[in-house]
Amino acid sequence: MEPFALPDFYMPYPARRNPHEEHARSHSDAWAAELGMLDAHGPTGTLVWDQAKLSANDYALMCAYTHPDCDEATLDLITDWYVWVFFFDDHFLELFKYNGDMKGAQAYLDRLDLFMTAPGQTPPEPENPAEAGLADLWARTVPKMSDDWRERFTLSTHNLMVESMWELDNINRHRIANPMEYVEMRRRVGGAPWSANLVEVAAGAEIPDRLAGLRPLRVLRDTFSDAVHLRNDLFSYQREVQEEGENSNAVLVLETFLGVSTQEAADLTNSLITSRLQQFENTALTEVPIMFAENGTTPDDQLAVGLYVKGLQDWQSGGHEWHARSSRYMNGNVTSAAPVLGGPKGIGTDGLRITPGTLGLERRRAQHTDVPALREPGHLPLPEFYMPYAFPVSPHLPEARRHGAAWAEEMGMYEPVPGVPGGRVWDAERFRAYDLAYCAAMIHAHSDLDELNLSTDWLSWGTYGDDLFPAQYGASRNLVGAKAQNARFALFMPLDLGPVPEPVSPVERGLADLWRRTAGPMAMPARRQFRTAVEDMTASWIWELANQVQNRVPDPVDYVEMRRATFGSDLTMGLARIAHGNLVPAEIYDNRVMRQLDNSAQDYACFVNDVFSYQKEIQYEGEVHNLVYVMQNFLGCDRERARDVVNNLMTERMQQFEHIVEVELPAMFDDLGLSGDVRAVLTTYAEELKDWMAGILEWHRSVDRYRPEWLAGQHGGAVPEVPGGWQPPVTGQVPRVTPAGVPERPAAPGHPGLPADPAVPGRASLPAHPAGPAPTRPGVPVGSGAAEPTGRGGPGVFVPPGPAGLGTSAARVAETVAGERRQ
């Protein structure tokens, strides 16, 4: 029996079928046989593939659907690539999944990397069909494309291969990932970014390299990837989870994390697919045209991007149609949509299907019909937070408080601002209530007074700016004015430290002062990186305003990923690298362990702010950028249930952080053969993140900024309840949080062979820091920093360790540009 009924899918694009399908099928069958893919045996002696299995999976049908417009030779090439990638996946798991041979698996993957050669390099002689196939495909594909494309494709191919180790590690640990980790890692191991690179080949149109890294194209790639992978998880659940014992599947992740039935988890997975597809559409229709205009994109480059977007759409609809037909997947009860208007007839048209789905209409209506006046008012009771670390406090806190208040007044932050309802963004009373010096004193507890003053001022500037933008530009929907202000920020951060224009506002005056005090001691590369970090954070304020203009509640995945920027968290990695100098190789920071260390800490801190700031943002400010509210909208549940989901996600992220620090970080040190100095820097970095998270939580608990009585006084008294106010339907089940703050994790419903995450081993050996001065850390002076808060949200920017001594305090605080994100 199938474990659940496949849902009503949202599919806004028609599927079409390439007329060269049969030639591709014959070609790929012969190619697979020639390369030895039908003769490869697993450890038990059984064949990984035979002709019957290859024919049943029918990758030529998949490629004919996903690339309907390419010519015969290109379709042959694309089909061979997919035959190779599916063979690699099955071959790797057959060789290493059941015996848990992690060293053998790593050696297998390391060899494959050698076949992705740069011009002038010669690959080794292949030793298995996966290597032979990659060598052949590389030689047939790379000469057609540019060096920029080759570098991007090399990275995505490397990712989908090496991140198979993450899946293997989870299988060995009987571990089911948390939802955010799963989405992030599934992109890398699932291969859809790799597929997006092949779309450029099939369309004969490369994305211009200068646009490839911008947010609109990143979001198009990521939303495409998420929708492809989540759809695959629905269709492959029965084979992967029930038959093969794998645990990297979104349905299993959600049923375990939320404690819901398999059918409910499947329906939620489908809701997430719909949300990601609609984020794709929103980005393509609203962000891409603005990107063209702002970057002076030529007609040829616009055409290339347009063909790429069309190719991604074709892949979505074609991939869905193939899943509905392939014997590789569960599809006995899938409903295939009727052709549009009866559908055209003839060669290449029999796959023309479109499935808008009622869910798509419901999701779009829920996202765009938010009415602040109908929100449930009142304080959101706080849950018990899981926090295993204590926080130190700087002895210079009283002096920093006095300095910070005087600096904010000197910059004009208490003065009336044109266009702001009520006239002022801040006044002296509000600044006192925010007590940003206290936050700096905890997350930068070991700094001297000058450093702490500078940290406090960065927090003040970032918080003021992030409070200013929605107040000055949001109510009037003045996106153009906000962009113009954001563009002026670069003028006050000259790389040569030359003259700047006369500041015309407190936010400009503060930035000019902070840039001079902070960037002066930096070398030019570090200065350039630091300015980029500031610009990335301020650009995220524009993203928030764009959603406000559209009256749009963000997609949950897009929200979490942008939340790290609005909170200032995206500065963490860049600023830490500046402080670490050249001691830590750049590629170390892109290692899965380091990425997950950063992301788990960042998400915990961001979500702390969202829980504390719920009433302030949702009731009084009419905001939508709050994860509790985003989850209310997405899950269709009340705010208490959404709060518990967010708190459980925080706990999962913290437990993941603990496990990384104790188990995965030391293992990474050994696997990569890192020197003692590099190990000391990265170990200290992890310790500083502990202080950062603990300090952020304590700051939120201590300040007046979020207290119901203070909010009521600031906003002229409590807002009266709306008679008959809207109450969202309550659906699903949320795991109960124990008094210790750790959610109960039952075994996956209906899967006795797949236990929930075991307790992270060794937690008892990670004692919390005692209150007061922290002990000296290996290899780093006591004066090294922690992290800083950001704008309306809270502490979000890491203060890296740096040089000590006279004249170096600003260099050590390359630190906090943050501006605590929107609390």
Side-chain angles (χ1 to χ4, degrees), residues 149-489:
W149 180 90
R150 175 181 54 79
E151 291 176 1
R152 287 189 278 117
F153 188 59
T154 299
L155 178 61
S156 60
T157 308
H158 171 82
N159 286 342
L160 77 86
M161 293 190 303
V162 301
E163 300 304 356
S164 300
M165 295 293 288
W166 172 76
E167 288 187 320
L168 195 60
D169 180 60
N170 280 343
I171 291 170
N172 288 345
R173 292 169 52 200
H174 303 288
R175 177 180 184 270
I176 299 171
N178 62 69
M180 278 313 306
E181 176 196 11
Y182 180 77
V183 170
E184 293 166 0
M185 292 303 300
R186 187 71 165 91
R187 285 179 193 163
R188 296 172 71 97
V189 74
W194 176 87
S195 295
N197 292 145
L198 288 178
V199 165
E200 296 176 71
V201 176
E206 282 192 35
I207 297 172
D209 193 58
R210 67 192 185 92
L211 302 180
L214 299 182
R215 170 184 153 84
L217 287 178
R218 292 200 318 269
V219 172
L220 289 177
R221 179 199 64 210
D222 291 346
T223 50
F224 162 79
S225 300
D226 294 346
V228 167
H229 292 147
L230 294 169
R231 180 181 292 105
N232 176 265
D233 285 352
L234 282 169
F235 280 97
S236 64
Y237 178 93
Q238 185 176 39
R239 177 177 63 85
E240 292 180 346
V241 177
Q242 293 188 322
E243 297 174 9
E244 298 178 357
E246 292 193 34
N247 53 16
S248 293
N249 184 288
V251 179
L252 180 63
V253 167
L254 290 178
E255 65 178 307
T256 304
F257 178 74
L258 294 175
V260 297
S261 70
T262 306
Q263 183 66 59
E264 289 174 295
D267 292 339
L268 283 172
T269 301
N270 188 44
S271 294
L272 191 54
I273 295 172
T274 302
S275 185
R276 297 308 279 155
L277 281 174
Q278 291 182 345
Q279 176 68 53
F280 179 97
E281 295 170 310
N282 185 272
T283 301
L285 296 175
T286 67
E287 295 187 53
V288 168
I290 295 173
M291 177 189 72
F292 287 159
E294 291 180 342
N295 289 275
T297 310
T298 65
D300 286 347
D301 285 350
Q302 292 185 31
L303 176 61
V305 172
L307 290 172
Y308 174 71
V309 172
K310 173 184 171 295
L312 297 181
Q313 293 174 343
D314 287 337
W315 214 112
Q316 291 285 357
S317 56
H320 177 85
E321 197 70 18
W322 176 68
H323 278 84
R325 293 169 179 257
S326 175
S327 64
R328 186 179 176 92
Y329 301 110
M330 178 189 89
N331 49 27
N333 63 352
V334 67
T335 301
S336 190
V340 178
L341 300 177
K345 305 296 183 182
I347 295 177
T349 63
D350 61 333
L352 187 58
R353 301 217 182 343
I354 186 165
T355 313
T358 56
L359 177 62
L361 301 177
E362 293 170 358
R363 284 297 312 142
R364 201 181 302 279
R365 182 166 53 247
Q367 279 191 294
H368 288 277
T369 57
D370 179 71
V371 181
L374 298 182
R375 297 175 181 177
E376 182 182 2
H379 173 61
L380 178 67
L382 296 174
E384 291 191 53
F385 297 99
Y386 176 62
M387 170 50 68
Y389 309 119
F391 54 90
V393 181
S394 169
H396 304 300
L397 174 58
E399 296 95 326
R401 279 175 169 151
R402 288 191 291 270
H403 166 86
W407 184 83
E409 184 174 18
E410 180 184 354
M411 296 300 108
M413 294 178 181
Y414 304 160
E415 298 173 0
V417 178
V420 171
R424 285 182 171 82
V425 177
W426 281 6
D427 54 28
E429 180 187 2
R430 292 183 183 183
F431 187 85
R432 179 206 57 78
Y434 302 163
D435 203 359
L436 296 166
Y438 182 46
C439 185
M442 288 183 287
I443 61 181
H444 198 191
H446 311 296
S447 62
D448 62 29
L449 179 58
D450 287 342
E451 293 169 339
L452 188 61
N453 287 343
L454 186 58
S455 300
T456 301
D457 295 346
W458 269 118
L459 299 183
S460 300
W461 179 83
T463 306
Y464 178 84
D466 200 25
D467 282 358
L468 170 73
F469 264 60
Q472 187 171 26
Y473 303 111
S476 61
R477 303 298 194 262
N478 184 9
L479 190 59
V480 173
K483 281 178 170 277
Q485 172 64 87
N486 191 59
R488 279 181 56 85
F489 287 149

